[in-house]
Amino acid sequence: MRRTLWGAGVALMLAMTACSTPDPAGRAPAAPAVTGTPVASRQDPGQVEQTLTSLRKVDDLPLYEMTYVGAYDPTVGTDASPTTKPFGCSLFVAAGNPGRPLFARNFDWDANPAMVLRTDPPDGYASISVVDMSYLGVAADPSGDRRLLNAPLLPFDGMNERGLAVGLAADDGARADRDPAKPTVGSVRILRLVLDQAATVDEAVAVFHRYNVDFDGGPPLHYLIADATGASVVVEFTDGRLRVERGSGGWQALTNVPVAGVPEQRRREDHRYRVIAEALSRTGGVADASAAHGILTDVRQGHTRWSVTYGLRSGEVRLTTASGGAERRYQLPVS
């Protein structure tokens, strides 16, 4: 039996959901109607209510938290297009301590509200992820807004219950050709499929291989992925083809410059990459959450919206935002 994520409160909600009357034909519940917008929800009305009423504001970024109860279709619709060019992001994996690998990232973007989202789909792994709420088209006061039911589709970084973490960064040169034999998903949506389906970096790469990644609905991107063993990869699209660069030396970093097939000296011409690389090289890739947040502070930009670390073995998530509020901590049972 898979472990439930969120303790007694959510366990109670899930138990209540399990007592609802199923469709006699075994059909999935119809998605709630949202005019003009495809909706990922495959929830019954009680699950919709539980999800929307779980929303709460926790700091002045503003940052919200929400627990999504029930099922969703991770492939419905397309990713929203940004209105401005991405300003950057910084990510790294510190795996020098084999027992305590860590995934860290700064998300650098426009001044939008964000959400820490908990999901536990019936056919996938439970996870914690962070969502830029502007991509949902949600207004300043999101309370009761049914567009929140699309939140599982747009994780910008996250970790699942198997200790698999993934994050994205803009890569202006990325280009992905389409294979007509494969289904197509958006460049942010692919993170949801990875979190739901992959326990290891090899399984995550296999997810990428199963889909065309569509950059038309969002910025060209590349991705950093790590698992509980400390293994990590960068996934990039060069000249239309998927390329994988595996981590070595106890750490791996990603900013907004290509790394696949690029010499380390050239990568370090990027200031943020160089700061991360020098810090992790000094320690052989050993960094706890406090040290990792220190490195994130060193590469922080004026438009950094959140900084987060994911303990790939411990399941601990530590997040700070541009609001200057207190650090938020979450615990994900990792098996």
Side-chain angles (χ1 to χ4, degrees):
M1 184 192 317
R2 290 177 51 237
R3 291 186 291 179
T4 304
L5 233 174
W6 312 117
V10 175
L12 177 60
M13 290 194 293
L14 293 174
M16 292 168 61
T17 297
C19 294
S20 62
T21 302
D23 184 296
R27 295 184 295 264
V34 180
T35 303
T37 304
V39 178
S41 170
R42 297 297 179 263
Q43 302 160 291
D44 64 35
Q47 293 170 327
V48 169
E49 181 179 2
Q50 292 166 38
T51 297
L52 294 179
T53 57
S54 73
L55 181 76
R56 65 188 185 109
K57 182 180 175 182
V58 294
D59 88 359
D60 293 330
L61 183 70
L63 177 71
Y64 295 85
E65 297 173 358
M66 189 176 81
T67 298
Y68 187 101
V69 181
Y72 50 82
D73 180 351
T75 61
V76 66
T78 58
D79 293 353
S81 298
T83 57
T84 56
K85 183 175 179 175
F87 302 121
C89 283
S90 303
L91 307 90
F92 63 87
V93 177
N97 183 338
R100 297 184 179 179
L102 195 79
F103 186 101
R105 79 101 96 248
N106 283 343
F107 181 70
D108 304 339
W109 189 232
D110 288 336
N112 302 322
M115 175 195 293
V116 176
L117 180 68
R118 305 170 174 94
T119 57
D120 193 359
D123 55 352
Y125 296 124
S127 67
I128 292 177
S129 60
V130 190
V131 177
D132 180 331
M133 293 173 66
S134 69
Y135 278 65
L136 299 170
V138 173
D141 179 8
S143 300
D145 193 322
R146 294 169 79 87
R147 287 173 294 186
L148 294 172
L149 302 178
N150 276 338
L153 303 182
L154 295 169
F156 285 73
D157 52 72
M159 177 177 66
N160 69 22
E161 64 179 307
R162 298 301 301 275
L164 187 286
V166 60
L168 55 79
D171 176 12
D172 286 345
R175 182 176 64 82
D177 290 341
R178 294 196 183 189
D179 179 345
K182 296 179 181 179
T184 298
V185 297
S187 57
V188 178
R189 188 75 47 82
I190 191 71
L191 271 70
R192 171 51 57 197
L193 295 168
V194 167
L195 289 171
D196 285 0
Q197 300 175 16
T200 67
V201 293
D202 288 339
E203 290 179 4
V205 171
V207 172
F208 272 91
H209 278 295
R210 288 198 291 270
Y211 292 90
N212 296 310
V213 176
D214 178 16
F215 294 136
D216 293 339
L221 301 171
H222 53 181
Y223 308 85
L224 181 62
I225 309 168
D227 65 30
T229 71
S232 66
V233 296
V234 168
V235 173
E236 292 184 337
F237 292 86
T238 305
D239 296 327
R241 300 183 64 183
L242 187 152
R243 298 189 64 182
V244 174
E245 183 84 2
R246 296 189 178 271
S248 61
W251 61 272
Q252 191 166 24
L254 186 68
T255 55
N256 303 105
V257 297
V259 300
V262 177
E264 180 68 15
Q265 182 177 358
R266 184 176 169 189
R267 298 176 193 174
R268 295 195 187 198
E269 293 175 1
D270 177 79
H271 169 72
R272 284 177 289 121
Y273 184 97
R274 182 173 65 254
V275 170
I276 295 169
E278 290 176 351
L280 294 175
S281 294
R282 284 194 295 270
T283 66
V286 175
D288 61 13
S290 295
H293 273 278
I295 297 171
L296 292 175
T297 297
D298 290 342
V299 294
R300 191 176 181 88
Q301 302 186 86
H303 46 274
T304 298
R305 302 304 294 159
W306 68 77
S307 302
V308 62
T309 58
Y310 296 97
L312 305 180
R313 287 279 187 89
S314 69
E316 182 186 55
V317 181
R318 295 172 57 170
L319 182 144
T320 60
T321 72
S323 70
E327 178 183 82
R328 308 294 303 179
R329 295 195 184 191
Y330 307 89
Q331 188 63 45
L332 176 65
V334 172
S335 58

